[in-house]
């Protein structure tokens, strides 16, 4: 079975500091996409960042960046200069090229300490 | 702007009732999904549709069915609601592999009493 593991149920970080959320996944496929989604208290799931497995370069979006290690099947999210609005549940997910179904991890709840 | 709309944010139903959760997207996406979200379990796929009238079972289809008669609308049906179906339900859509990221609705919190 394809799985996504987020080993940190909860994390906290001081405002303006940097935090890294970890994610590992298990697939025998070579063509896939990886995502981090954010779910704030409003419940609206928002895409934070996406990574194509065939790209070696790590994706970045403003204060958000990933560390993609394909051989280790690891996909961590780094949030720099943390802001109060970053407080949310963060979900790691992937989709296989061949079947187009998103598989999610169990989530990490991030708290920002003022 | 991309929009996925779920018909209700909160719903309370009685055990044994037939329940319909509706989802509409305005992006002309081929794929639509229903997920269930529970604490500690993340999002689990219930059903997936890749075209009108086409559907595939996800990881936890038992007790649920779906309907997709029009491209923009995907309905989740609980044939006979039970208390263990109390949960958050999320609908999503995507444009197949051209743009694989899914766009989500705001969620429906269903309570079965």
């Amino acid at each position: 079975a394809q799985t996504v593991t987020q080993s940190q149920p909860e994390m906290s970080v001081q405002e303006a500091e940097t935090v890294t959320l970890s994610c590992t996944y298990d697939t025998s496929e070579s063509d896939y996409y990886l995502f981090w989604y954010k779910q704030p208290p409003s419940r609206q799931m928002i895409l934070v960042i996406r990574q194509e497995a065939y790209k070696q370069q790590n994706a970045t979006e403003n204060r958000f960046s990933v560390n993609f290690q394909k051989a280790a099947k690891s996909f961590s999210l780094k949030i720099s200069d943390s802001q109060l609005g970053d407080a949310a549940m963060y979900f790691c997910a992937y989709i296989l090229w061949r079947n187009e179904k998103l598989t999610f991890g169990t989530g990490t709840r991030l708290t920002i300490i003022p | 702007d991309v929009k996925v709309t779920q018909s209700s944010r909160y719903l309370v139903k009685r055990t044994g009732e037939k329940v319909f959760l509706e989802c509409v997207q305005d992006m002309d996406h081929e794929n639509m999904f229903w997920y269930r979200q529970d604490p500690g379990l993340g999002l689990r796929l219930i059903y997936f549709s890749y075209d009108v009238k086409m559907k595939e079972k996800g990881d936890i289809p038992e007790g649920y069915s779906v309907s997709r008669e029009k491209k923009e609308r995907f309905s989740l049906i609980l044939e006979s609601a039970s208390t263990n179906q109390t949960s958050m339900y999320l609908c999503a859509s995507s444009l197949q592999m051209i743009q694989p990221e899914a766009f989500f609705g705001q969620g429906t919190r269903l309570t079965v009493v």
Side-chain angles (χ1 to χ4, degrees), chain B residues 67-86:
Chain B
S67 172
R68 194 166 180 201
E69 297 296 319
K70 293 185 177 181
K71 190 176 186 180
E72 67 271 17
R73 187 179 296 270
F74 192 36
S75 303
L76 179 69
I77 303 154
L78 287 67
E79 296 290 342
S80 177
S82 64
T83 54
N84 62 15
Q85 292 178 309
T86 291

Side-chain angles (χ1 to χ4, degrees), chain A residues 32-33 35 37 39 41-47 50 89 91 95-107, chain B residues 9-10 31 33 35 37 40-43 45 48 56-57 88 90 96-97 99-102 104-109:
Chain A
Y32 51 89
Y33 291 86
F35 305 94
Y37 280 88
Q39 187 183 42
S42 66
R43 301 186 338 215
Q44 184 74 48
M45 194 81 79
I46 303 162
L47 178 68
R50 121 183 181 182
M89 281 289 287
F91 291 95
I95 186 168
L96 301 178
W97 184 269
R98 62 172 173 80
N99 73 10
E100 304 190 45
K101 298 179 200 177
L102 263 178
T103 299
F104 284 86
T106 52
Chain B
R9 276 185 72 84
Y10 300 94
N31 294 340
F33 309 84
Y35 288 91
Q37 182 180 3
L41 297 178
L43 278 74
L45 182 64
F48 161 54
E56 277 190 26
K57 292 180 180 179
M88 173 77 76
L90 294 172
Q96 298 188 341
M97 294 313 281
Q99 188 182 35
E101 54 264 37
F104 283 82
Q106 76 277 31
T108 297
R109 185 170 295 282

